[in-house]
């Protein structure tokens, strides 16, 4: 099974409320990524986990948190959602030292009201 | 600064026609280039990956070329079908490992009409 699953597929949130998005894969990939994609813009890397090590992009460092309780799961957490967080959030996974392949999930569309 | 530029931004073709999508980039180093298809509301699906200078790949009705000297790639779709309606995204990887950075284009929106 080479699929990456994301839950939920659609999420409505109120301004100021927390948001938690979930991603899972069963390919035993050691690296998992979260991207933010807004309409007519390229996906933007937010952070990635290599094994248990979290790497967050400098310009989004304080806006997003993540946890990876085991190899298969990775979450993206927004402590206090703002209108600017409305976007599609894509999760991907890959294997260190393997091919160039990053497997992408279907995305979670977050709308903040 | 955008390092991967795709053109055209959008394209409308009739079913059965051929089309060509362009990707120009300035990413350095440019380890590999991949074309993805994204159906509305769905995830990215890899169509093909190009690695070497002057690579050419073919995957059914999709074929692609890469010119690393010119930092340019094309994706050809022959005999388009209605199901080809999607956004096509060019992605350049700067390393051949999982920790390499992927640089995404904004995509070309292809609409195939009957």
């Amino acid at each position: 099974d080479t699929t990456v699953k994301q839950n939920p597929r659609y999420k409505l949130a109120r301004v100021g409320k927390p948001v938690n998005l979930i991603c899972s894969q069963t390919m035993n990939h050691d690296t998992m990524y979260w991207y933010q994609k807004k309409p007519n813009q390229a996906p933007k890397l937010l952070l990635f986990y290599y094994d248990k090590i979290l790497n967050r992009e400098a310009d989004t460092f304080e806006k997003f948190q993540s946890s990876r309780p085991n190899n298969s799961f990775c979450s993206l957490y927004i402590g206090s959602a703002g209108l600017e967080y409305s976007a599609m959030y894509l999760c991907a996974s890959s294997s260190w030292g393997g091919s160039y392949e990053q497997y992408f999930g279907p995305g979670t569309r977050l709308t903040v009201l | 600064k955008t390092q991967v530029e795709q053109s055209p931004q959008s394209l409308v073709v009739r079913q059965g026609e051929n089309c060509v999508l362009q990707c120009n980039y300035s990413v350095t180093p440019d380890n590999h280039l991949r074309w993805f298809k994204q159906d509305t509301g769905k995830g990215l699906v890899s169509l093909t990956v190009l690695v070497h200078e002057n690579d050419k790949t073919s995957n059914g009705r999709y074929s692609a070329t890469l010119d690393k000297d010119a930092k340019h790639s094309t994706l050809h779709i022959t005999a388009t079908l209605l199901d080809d309606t999607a956004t096509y995204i060019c992605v350049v990887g700067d390393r051949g490992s999982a920790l390499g950075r992927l640089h995404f284009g904004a995509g070309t929106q292809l609409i195939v009409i009957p």
Side-chain angles (χ1 to χ4, degrees), chain A residues 9 31 33 35 37 40-43 45 48 50 57 90 94-98 100-102 104-106, chain B residues 9 31-32 34 36 38 41-44 46 49 51 89 95-102 104-106:
Chain A
R9 293 293 310 278
T31 309
Y33 310 77
Y35 293 86
K37 187 180 187 312
N40 301 316
Q41 294 182 20
L45 178 66
F48 67 91
Y50 169 58
E57 291 294 282
L90 298 170
S94 66
S95 181
W96 165 258
Y100 315 102
E101 190 82 54
Q102 276 195 17
F104 282 83
Chain B
Q9 188 173 3
N31 180 274
H32 62 276
R34 186 182 297 274
F36 284 98
Q38 184 178 29
K42 296 190 178 177
L44 280 67
S46 177
V49 63
V51 179
I89 300 175
R95 291 180 202 171
S97 74
L99 296 187
R101 182 62 54 87
L102 296 184
F104 289 78

Side-chain angles (χ1 to χ4, degrees), chain B residues 16-89:
Chain B
E17 291 180 344
N18 303 334
C19 65
V20 181
L21 283 56
Q22 312 281 352
C23 178
N24 289 287
Y25 62 91
S26 58
V27 176
T28 299
D30 51 346
N31 180 274
H32 62 276
L33 185 147
R34 186 182 297 274
W35 285 92
F36 284 98
K37 177 185 179 186
Q38 184 178 29
D39 290 301
T40 302
K42 296 190 178 177
L44 280 67
V45 174
S46 177
L47 297 175
T48 189
V49 63
L50 303 117
V51 179
H52 304 296
E53 173 64 31
N54 295 324
D55 244 1
K56 293 183 173 62
T57 62
S58 182
N59 177 12
R61 293 179 300 103
Y62 301 103
S63 61
T65 64
L66 174 63
D67 182 342
K68 281 198 170 184
D69 277 345
K71 291 189 180 291
H72 175 75
S73 175
T74 59
L75 177 69
H76 297 249
I77 307 176
T78 56
T80 52
L81 304 172
L82 296 178
D83 283 349
D84 291 332
T85 295
T87 298
Y88 292 81
I89 300 175

Side-chain angles (χ1 to χ4, degrees), chain A residues 53-106:
Chain A
I53 302 168
L54 174 61
N55 301 269
R56 286 184 287 178
E57 291 294 282
D59 58 345
T60 55
F61 190 85
E62 295 180 351
K63 295 184 177 180
F64 298 93
Q65 274 285 358
S66 182
S67 67
R68 193 174 186 192
N70 56 58
N71 182 269
S72 300
F73 288 87
C74 187
S75 68
L76 181 70
Y77 181 75
I78 301 166
S80 177
L83 296 176
E84 71 278 14
Y85 286 87
S86 290
M88 174 75 82
Y89 289 86
L90 298 170
C91 174
S93 72
S94 66
S95 181
W96 165 258
S99 70
Y100 315 102
E101 190 82 54
Q102 276 195 17
Y103 295 84
F104 282 83

